[in-house]
Amino acid sequence: MSILEKVKALVHHEAAGPALELDDIQATVLFDRPDPYFGTHVLLRFDTAAGGRALLARLAPHVRSAADARDNTEAWIAVALSHAGLRALELGPDLLDSFPAPFRAGMAQRADHLQDVGPNAPDGWEAPYGSGQLHLAVSIFAPDEASWRAAMATAHAQFADLQGVTLLGSHDFGAQPDSRNPFGYRDNISNPAVEGGTAPVWPGQGRPIKAGEFILGYPGEAGVPLAQPGPEQDSLGRNGTYVVLRKYRADVAAFNRFLREHGGDADAQELLAAKLVGRWRSGAPLALAPERDDPALGADRQRNNDFTYARDQEGLQVPHGCHMRRMNPRDSKLAILTDVNLHRLIRRSTTFGPPYDPDLLEDDGAERGLFFIGLSAKAHETMEFMQQEWINHGNFIDLADERDPIVGQQPEGAIFTVPERPVRRRIHGIQSFCTLRGGEYLFMPGLKALRRLAQN
Amino acid sequence: MTESRNDLADIKRKVEEVLGDAPQLLKLALENVLREHDPHADAQPGSAGRVGRQSGKVSELTAIAPLKPGGADRLRRIFKLVNGNFAGAQKVATLHDMRFVFFENDTKILFATTYDGDWDTYIDDFATKIPDLMDLLFSSVEGWPGIKDPGVKDFIASHQLTADGWYVANPHLSVVDTRRLQRINDALQEFLDKVSGHVDS
């Protein structure tokens, strides 16, 4: 960095952005899901604009704001709409057209940009994803079963007797021991710190990222707000964000078989499992526990994310191609000029299905998987970037065509490279462990905008 | 590839289809070209996102835009100063080449580049990582909104033309791949020198 660049960087980062309007931002944007967590995603269709507006009006008082969510001791409700939902509310054409093109088109229509082909292609998705029917997603997050049931009853009361609205589906999630994901890993450990946010900041989150990257209406990393829908002075986007929702089926049996075939003894299998993700199943990062698991470290939020790659540029501890390092390269030296702070998502993913079983070797027919949920002021763009560059490609880390070992769609004869001395080890025959079953691009409005949508 | 009578008939049919109205000499020339053409060459042509063509991993971008008065001169002085060595472009590591051509009395610019991937994937990164290089190269273009402007992608796309014909020698080699192959070859040659025992110093 030249002296001039350093001075510019200092000036850029010293200027604090405007204070966040916490009472207008949905709690989910700034607060982690509870741990442990219970919840449900409810999917709805507006049959009439009046029905849709009535439902939003009823739900609005129950949607938690970031100002009311300083701790996660109560259940909360979050809502997000698809562009089809906004059209069903009969907004004006100018307003509808002012939303970004990928969001207007919807996730299924963007399959080419997302590389959702083959087994992940929209024509094989579950209903109602990709059909244009999903208008509203209501998510209930709760720290325990009782408050979950209570919040569900509240949500149901709002649409049970309502004309002009159809319940398309309801999907429970969570309730996993230790909040593990379908493959048995503690997940959602690392999330970006948002400048001006009030949620606790954990060591290792890195410098707070400009709020405008995640919330519409504030300056982003380039110093200016990102494009927002609606007239500039009276934006419908203000304090809102976009959501990427992707439902993945996890092939746990194939994952277990892969570890057995390529790992070696039980310890070596666990090491391979850690090399694929970058963390041991306990959540302990390889960067801090390179030889063996350290469950106490994995469970300690003060320590389990507090690392950089400065001393592991060769990837001898954390492979360049592992899931965690791909999704957040931190200070890794990348082969392509990249501003890693521009490609972050706030993750609120949720796991469903039976708890991880290490002895499952044949598909037992049970539904296992996770809803990947990513939030940002350009979540669709970031997801498309990730699918193209960081998930289904290896060029940015000088690994040619290699793909993400967990969520990548692997072609025949795919490889996973583990840097070692004197020469790297290449594991041949890695398969796809996650299949996309559906997804949507959604808009999560601020609370004022939500009430405006209810009245329009 | 062996050429059967059927192939030849097929070629003649294609020539009639494409150049039925052309002089005999041109038809014969095309026939000869097609006889050597490998229809199974593996550079599947595709789209490079919004505009432009993609061949394997490699894409093309061609843009024509009006220049501000004096813009061509300013750019020439910059090109002369850096002597074709754009350090920022080197860092980008997806750019195979860039070409700037002034025409119509310096009132217009043709910008052409070959690069890896889709064209708008990294443009936000350019805005925060090499904004000065981007603004330096394009601020002489009429209407350039600045690299940090949210509308910059639309601006570029509006000046882009998709190539009708385009040839890529190595469609499956990215800039990063090529650099790696160079490094590997250097190391391999050094290794072979040592193995052979004939190192000329």
Side-chain angles (χ1 to χ4, degrees), chain A residues 99-127:
Chain A
F99 283 88
F103 171 69
R104 293 201 311 265
M107 187 178 284
Q109 294 298 318
R110 299 287 291 181
D112 277 357
H113 296 263
L114 289 158
Q115 304 199 352
D116 289 339
V117 297
N120 286 358
D123 54 17
W125 287 0
E126 293 168 9

Side-chain angles (χ1 to χ4, degrees), chain A residues 96-350:
Chain A
L96 286 171
D97 287 350
S98 68
F99 283 88
F103 171 69
R104 293 201 311 265
M107 187 178 284
Q109 294 298 318
R110 299 287 291 181
D112 277 357
H113 296 263
L114 289 158
Q115 304 199 352
D116 289 339
V117 297
N120 286 358
D123 54 17
W125 287 0
E126 293 168 9
Y129 300 105
S131 66
Q133 303 276 304
L134 196 166
H135 292 164
L136 178 74
V138 179
S139 293
I140 290 109
F141 285 88
D144 56 69
E145 199 165 347
S147 65
W148 169 39
R149 301 270 175 224
M152 277 299 286
T154 304
H156 266 287
Q158 311 315 316
F159 45 75
D161 61 334
L162 196 61
Q163 295 293 309
V165 172
T166 299
L167 178 67
L168 299 174
S170 180
H171 213 119
D172 296 344
F173 57 76
Q176 305 283 340
D178 246 7
S179 299
R180 301 294 176 104
N181 76 12
F183 298 112
Y185 297 80
R186 184 191 299 274
D187 70 355
N188 266 30
I189 294 169
S190 184
N191 263 313
V194 181
E195 192 180 276
T198 46
V201 176
W202 306 103
Q205 277 184 301
R207 77 160 168 84
I209 293 174
K210 295 284 173 193
E213 293 294 318
F214 303 107
I215 305 165
L216 292 165
Y218 300 88
E221 286 288 313
V224 289
L226 276 70
Q228 340 179 25
E232 205 168 304
Q233 295 310 312
D234 185 29
S235 160
L236 189 69
R238 185 163 187 83
N239 292 318
T241 190
Y242 292 98
V243 183
V244 169
L245 173 72
R246 287 164 79 80
K247 182 186 179 187
Y248 284 101
R249 190 181 81 89
D251 192 343
V252 175
F255 188 72
N256 286 340
R257 289 198 305 271
F258 177 81
L259 293 180
R260 289 190 188 203
E261 280 162 27
H262 298 276
D265 65 23
D267 286 350
Q269 284 179 37
E270 279 308 296
L271 179 61
L272 175 57
K275 291 284 187 186
L276 293 174
V277 168
R279 291 182 187 273
W280 300 88
R281 285 202 168 96
S282 71
L286 277 173
L288 299 177
E291 306 286 337
R292 60 192 61 81
D293 193 7
D294 180 348
L297 169 65
D300 184 352
R301 292 207 75 177
Q302 291 295 337
R303 295 191 293 141
N304 67 10
N305 201 34
D306 192 12
F307 63 90
T308 72
Y309 297 118
R311 281 178 300 160
D312 188 31
Q313 294 296 356
E314 284 179 85
L316 292 168
Q317 293 177 347
V318 188
H320 303 110
C322 75
H323 180 61
M324 175 181 78
R325 195 163 179 168
R326 279 173 175 268
M327 297 299 89
N328 182 12
R330 301 185 187 219
D331 57 342
S332 299
K333 290 197 178 83
L334 301 182
I336 295 176
L337 180 92
T338 311
D339 187 334
V340 292
N341 289 325
L342 295 184
H343 307 292
R344 302 296 304 279
L345 288 171
I346 290 171
R347 295 175 306 142
R348 300 287 182 253
S349 300
T350 58

